[in-house]
């Protein structure tokens, strides 16, 4: 399922940060790339910095990379 997506080591690390609730540690360019790939989505919270959460596709990617 994730064969078409190739993440660099830093991108995978940032995806893991989102999974651990540390999305604020993800640099903007990488966050934009993860959003474009459909691995994360933005949460709607006015007045806060960018808030990201894993999509089902992102969660699947994290699970497959753990194996």
């Amino acid at each position: 399922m994730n064969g078409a997506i190739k993440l660099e080591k830093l991108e995978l690390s940032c995806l893991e940060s989102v999974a651990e609730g540390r999305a604020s540690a993800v640099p903007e360019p990488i966050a934009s790339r993860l959003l474009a790939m459909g691995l994360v989505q933005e949460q709607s919270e006015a007045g806060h910095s960018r808030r990201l959460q894993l999509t089902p596709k992102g969660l699947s990617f994290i699970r497959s990379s753990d194996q």
Side-chain angles (χ1 to χ4, degrees):
M1 176 177 180
N2 298 319
I5 297 176
K6 301 292 183 199
L7 294 181
E8 295 177 12
K9 192 173 189 174
L10 180 58
E11 292 169 328
L12 181 57
S13 175
C14 288
L15 189 62
E16 290 169 350
S17 293
V18 173
E20 295 168 351
R22 297 182 293 114
S24 61
V26 177
E28 182 66 30
I30 295 176
S32 295
R33 182 162 157 73
L34 295 174
L35 280 163
M37 289 187 285
L39 298 174
V40 298
Q41 63 188 12
E42 290 188 272
Q43 293 177 330
S44 299
E45 287 192 27
H48 291 89
S49 60
R50 177 177 257 182
R51 309 247 328 166
L52 301 172
Q53 65 183 17
L54 292 178
T55 62
K57 184 177 178 180
L59 182 59
S60 173
F61 196 92
I62 288 291
R63 286 182 178 159
S64 68
S65 70
D66 285 343
Q67 297 177 4

